[in-house]
Amino acid sequence: MKHKQKTSEKNSDGLNTLMVRKVIYVSSVFLGFSFIVAGFEWLTFLSLLGWLYYVDNSGKLTKKQLLQDFYLGTFIVLGLAYCWLMQAEAQNWNVSLHGWFKIAAQVVSWLLVCSFVSLSGLIHGWIMSNFRRNRYRLLIFAFSLPILEVLRSCLFAVISYGAGGRLAPNFFVGSIAVSTSGTYLVFASRLVGFIGLSLLGVLISLGAYLIIRGRFRFVFPIVILVILVTIMGYKLSRSNSSHESLKVVAVHLNEADSMKNWEDFSSLPDNIDLLVLPEYSGVDYLENKSQLWKKLSPNGVVVTTIAFGRSPEAANRLMVFNNEGKIISQQDKDFLIPAGEYLPYSLIGAFKLLRQNKNIENFRFTQQLQPGKDTIKVVQGSRFNIGALACSGVISSSEYSRLTRNGADILTNSASLSFLKQNSRFDVFSKNMARYQAVVNKRYFVQSSRSGESYIVSPNGRFVKTNSGQDTQVLLADIEI
């Protein structure tokens, strides 16, 4: 009888353990979807309840199980968050990939990134395994997750490093702060920054979990902290506003269009103060440039980028022109995107194993860029100062904040996303990051893109204007800075 009872208890413990482990995998799937499905950012908080349940019951698990579950759970989250790596439209690059290698290149890139960056989950699992019976393990998990996100970004910098890359934590794909930026919590970032926003996202889920479990000891301080910080952030306004009224225009180009094809500028309004064009807009090839300059106000400017030189020594040059067509600023992009503007050493090694030396050389002489030697500086205008970056700048957690501290009144991003398929999951990521940039810096954020999405975002995170479909179109907004 006792033997049967022990067997029954053992089977019951096994079932409980299995259920706990299933929860983290299901929650990881939902958490991954919160990064790639627009409007489902709230899934982040729901998904974290599952992770918290897992940590709360981790005392039933072995160290090996914790290490395995944290690694695979993180891999699932990042696998979904980075799924846009497999949505590249290779024929839209300067170098085209063909046959089996067109698919293999995307899968290899995705696997390399996700498997290596998920090592942060292994480290997180090791940390939590040492506290799995600690009474404060939920708080330890909440405060350690944002720190591990920084490590995750560092790991991405390592795996994506190459000639033209940076060993710095700039990419935060799959960060709680990204999806949280799509919610009202984004206002808290004005006080706590990007990593602090991740922490608040976990804390609000922790508060909900404790309420569900009927443990109210820490609920009140957690809820009050999150609400207070969010309200205080919302109430913060720009202290040095000039109250200048500006007419801002962003041009959205379809993937096959270029400004050099424009013969008629009647779709553009007159007296434009700031005209933002996509990356490689082709404005440098315009034969009737004078007609474009006439659309600007006396102090109006145009922001775009041009291809300068030839690969592998080429540069993506950020240009600002005044209403007479004179160059008032030219700076080479210094934050390059891996596999788009340079090849990471890890990919070069993988491609060599696949005997694709020819494609490596093709990339080098058609896509490879050299990063600017200096960091991008604020463009000083007669009426307003511009913090302008190109394409990948929108996903940096720090570059626009640096420009804002240096006096930028308005933030712009000239992008070209035609290398990705239409409705790419990258658009969800970049849009949440654009909202973060606008809110945390208390500045209007203007993105002009070829393909992808173009928009004008207000300092309170409202998308004032967005493109409708992928046809070439003009976005106009009258704003006050």
Side-chain angles (χ1 to χ4, degrees):
M1 189 73 176
K2 288 182 178 179
H3 176 71
K4 286 184 177 180
Q5 187 177 356
K6 286 182 179 180
T7 303
S8 177
E9 289 175 356
K10 187 176 180 181
N11 289 338
S12 177
D13 288 343
L15 287 172
N16 288 336
T17 299
L18 182 62
M19 186 184 75
V20 169
R21 299 188 72 190
K22 281 182 177 179
V23 166
I24 193 173
Y25 291 112
V26 173
S27 298
S28 297
V29 171
F30 283 115
L31 185 55
F33 275 114
S34 73
F35 296 116
I36 60 175
V37 182
F40 278 76
E41 288 81 5
W42 55 270
L43 264 181
T44 298
F45 309 119
L46 182 64
S47 305
L48 285 172
L49 292 177
W51 277 74
L52 289 164
Y53 172 81
Y54 176 88
V55 171
D56 199 18
N57 292 275
S58 58
K60 303 174 182 178
L61 307 174
T62 65
K63 185 172 185 176
K64 182 180 178 181
Q65 288 172 328
L66 273 160
L67 292 174
Q68 183 183 61
D69 294 342
F70 264 84
Y71 178 81
L72 292 178
T74 304
F75 184 89
I76 291 170
V77 173
L78 294 181
L80 288 165
Y82 276 106
C83 71
W84 48 268
L85 288 175
M86 293 193 288
Q87 294 181 307
E89 199 70 275
Q91 65 265 28
N92 289 338
W93 293 4
N94 292 328
V95 56
S96 294
L97 306 179
H98 303 284
W100 67 270
F101 186 65
K102 175 182 175 181
I103 298 172
Q106 296 175 11
V107 174
V108 168
S109 301
W110 178 81
L111 272 176
L112 272 174
V113 168
C114 295
S115 57
F116 187 76
V117 178
S118 293
L119 290 175
S120 63
L122 195 66
I123 295 170
H124 202 182
W126 176 79
I127 293 171
M128 295 311 303
S129 69
N130 292 308
F131 294 99
R132 62 186 185 276
R133 292 184 180 87
N134 189 291
R135 62 185 297 189
Y136 298 114
R137 59 187 175 276
L138 290 175
L139 282 172
I140 293 168
F141 171 78
F143 281 90
S144 60
L145 181 57
I147 297 171
L148 268 295
E149 287 186 348
V150 177
L151 174 62
R152 189 188 299 172
S153 184
C154 291
L155 288 172
F156 180 86
V158 171
I159 195 67
S160 64
Y161 187 69
R166 284 185 185 179
L167 281 174
N170 282 312
F171 285 84
F172 281 87
V173 178
S175 169
I176 301 302
V178 176
S179 51
T180 304
S181 292
T183 71
Y184 287 111
L185 272 184
V186 68
F187 293 105
S189 64
R190 292 173 175 173
L191 291 173
V192 300
F194 191 80
I195 300 304
L197 188 57
S198 282
L199 175 59
L200 289 184
V202 184
L203 285 178
I204 198 170
S205 293
L206 176 57
Y209 178 79
L210 293 175
I211 290 172
I212 293 169
R213 302 293 290 180
R215 300 183 218 160
F216 301 103
R217 182 180 177 186
F218 293 108
V219 169
F220 184 74
I222 288 173
V223 172
I224 291 299
L225 173 67
V226 173
I227 292 175
L228 269 180
V229 173
T230 304
I231 292 175
M232 289 172 64
Y234 178 78
K235 293 290 185 181
L236 279 178
S237 59
R238 184 178 170 187
S239 58
N240 59 341
S241 176
S242 63
H243 299 289
E244 284 272 6
S245 294
L246 301 179
K247 181 180 286 187
V248 175
V249 169
V251 173
H252 180 84
L253 297 177
N254 72 45
E255 66 178 34
D257 202 1
S258 170
M259 291 300 294
K260 68 180 180 181
N261 300 328
W262 285 36
E263 296 179 356
D264 179 21
F265 296 100
S266 59
S267 59
L268 294 176
D270 295 322
N271 293 311
I272 302 171
D273 295 305
L274 175 63
L275 174 59
V276 185
L277 301 178
E279 186 179 36
Y280 305 127
S281 63
V283 71
D284 45 322
Y285 294 106
L286 265 176
E287 294 183 1
N288 53 343
K289 292 187 184 73
S290 60
Q291 298 303 309
L292 178 61
W293 311 139
K294 287 179 181 179
K295 288 291 182 177
L296 302 179
S297 67
N299 295 306
V301 294
V302 175
V303 179
T304 188
T305 81
I306 65 169
F308 183 80
R310 299 182 65 179
S311 295
E313 302 300 324
N316 185 359
R317 184 155 292 181
L318 190 63
M319 307 290 293
V320 181
F321 303 91
N322 66 12
N323 70 330
E324 295 177 347
K326 293 180 179 177
I327 299 171
I328 61 174
S329 175
Q330 51 181 326
Q331 306 178 73
D332 291 343
K333 180 182 179 182
D334 64 328
F335 178 35
L336 303 186
I337 192 162
E341 295 169 326
Y342 73 92
L343 267 186
Y345 294 133
S346 57
L347 269 185
I348 291 175
F351 289 176
K352 283 184 175 180
L353 286 174
L354 294 171
R355 299 181 179 180
Q356 294 296 318
N357 292 38
K358 184 177 180 182
N359 277 314
I360 296 173
E361 283 301 297
N362 286 344
F363 184 97
R364 184 168 180 265
F365 288 101
T366 57
Q367 293 278 133
Q368 180 74 46
L369 297 181
Q370 292 298 316
K373 295 179 181 179
D374 301 314
T375 55
I376 298 294
K377 296 179 176 60
V378 173
V379 179
Q380 306 287 334
S382 55
R383 288 181 60 200
F384 55 93
N385 300 329
I386 308 166
L389 294 174
C391 202
S392 53
V394 67
I395 62 178
S396 169
S397 62
S398 59
E399 285 299 288
Y400 280 111
S401 294
R402 177 182 61 80
L403 291 170
T404 300
R405 289 194 300 271
N406 290 336
D409 296 307
I410 189 167
L411 308 173
T412 72
N413 188 52
S414 295
S416 181
L417 300 173
S418 56
F419 71 96
L420 292 168
K421 293 178 180 178
Q422 290 187 14
N423 299 315
S424 165
R425 297 303 86 198
F426 180 81
D427 294 339
V428 180
F429 171 44
S430 62
K431 201 168 185 177
N432 280 331
M433 285 302 298
R435 189 168 191 257
Y436 169 80
Q437 307 292 6
V439 172
V440 73
N441 295 302
K442 302 187 286 291
R443 301 291 190 273
Y444 274 90
F445 183 90
V446 184
Q447 173 162 301
S448 172
S449 179
R450 174 184 286 103
S451 191
E453 294 201 12
S454 301
Y455 31 72
I456 301 172
V457 193
S458 72
N460 65 7
R462 186 169 67 90
F463 285 81
V464 179
K465 294 288 181 179
T466 59
N467 62 295
S468 176
Q470 288 302 320
D471 291 334
T472 294
Q473 55 202 273
V474 173
L475 310 181
L476 166 65
D478 291 307
I479 67 171
E480 185 178 278
I481 60 172

